[in-house]
Amino acid sequence: MLSVTSKDFLQIPIKEFIISAEKVAHVQLGNNAEHALLVLTKTGYSSIPVLDIKYRLQGLISAQQITDEILGMEHIEYERLPSLKVDEIMKSDVAVIHIEEKFQKGLDLLVNNPYICVIDDEQTFLGILTRRVILKQMKKYLYQSQVQ
Ligand code: AMP
């Protein structure tokens, strides 16, 4: 077993692993659904954060949520996209992690989420912690432990 060192590993600050806010594609409250769909399609991400004017996290929006919203009985009502606001469609109840948290907390949250938004005490959006980055770190750690 990897007991003592794995405990240390789980206590590493998540700060070291986040993708910082300036590198994260996002939309703002008040943007329309057409803009959000454009950003989601161009970046290829399944969902992106919605921020307010002060860069505080307000929710997440995905292409699936947008399509669901404009799904009519007969066809997809694309003509509604410009008048729909992201505020009406986004998911507001999202998992977040504080910037001062440790790897273990991140790992727990990433079991059920592909990524987690990282915030500070003022709810300011500082970046994201992704499943991919955490898995990479775990792989590095496990492989290193094997050769010791
Ligand atoms: P990954 O683990 O890199 O596949 O990312 C998982 C999810 O995190 C993506 O599908 C996006 O929803 C989100 N994500 C990752 N990187 C970014 C980024 N630079 N900007 C916005 N969202 C991102």
Side-chain angles (χ1 to χ4, degrees), residues 38-50:
L38 210 73
V39 176
L40 283 159
T41 308
K42 288 228 163 184
T43 58
Y45 294 130
S46 50
S47 85
I48 50 173
V50 181

Side-chain angles (χ1 to χ4, degrees), residues 23-25 45-48 115 128 130 132:
K23 293 185 188 143
V24 177
Y45 294 130
S46 50
S47 85
I48 50 173
Y115 72 103
I128 58 174
T130 67
R132 185 197 300 269

Side-chain angles (χ1 to χ4, degrees), residues 126-142:
L126 301 177
I128 58 174
L129 186 66
T130 67
R131 208 180 258 168
R132 185 197 300 269
V133 168
I134 286 290
L135 280 175
K136 259 192 192 167
Q137 291 305 319
M138 285 189 66
K139 182 177 159 190
K140 207 160 98 184
Y141 169 74
L142 286 170

Side-chain angles (χ1 to χ4, degrees), residues 18-22 24 55 99 117-120 124-128:
I18 75 168
I19 298 174
S20 57
E22 65 272 14
V24 177
Y55 240 67
I99 185 72
C117 291
V118 182
I119 55 166
D120 65 11
T124 308
F125 176 72
L126 301 177
I128 58 174

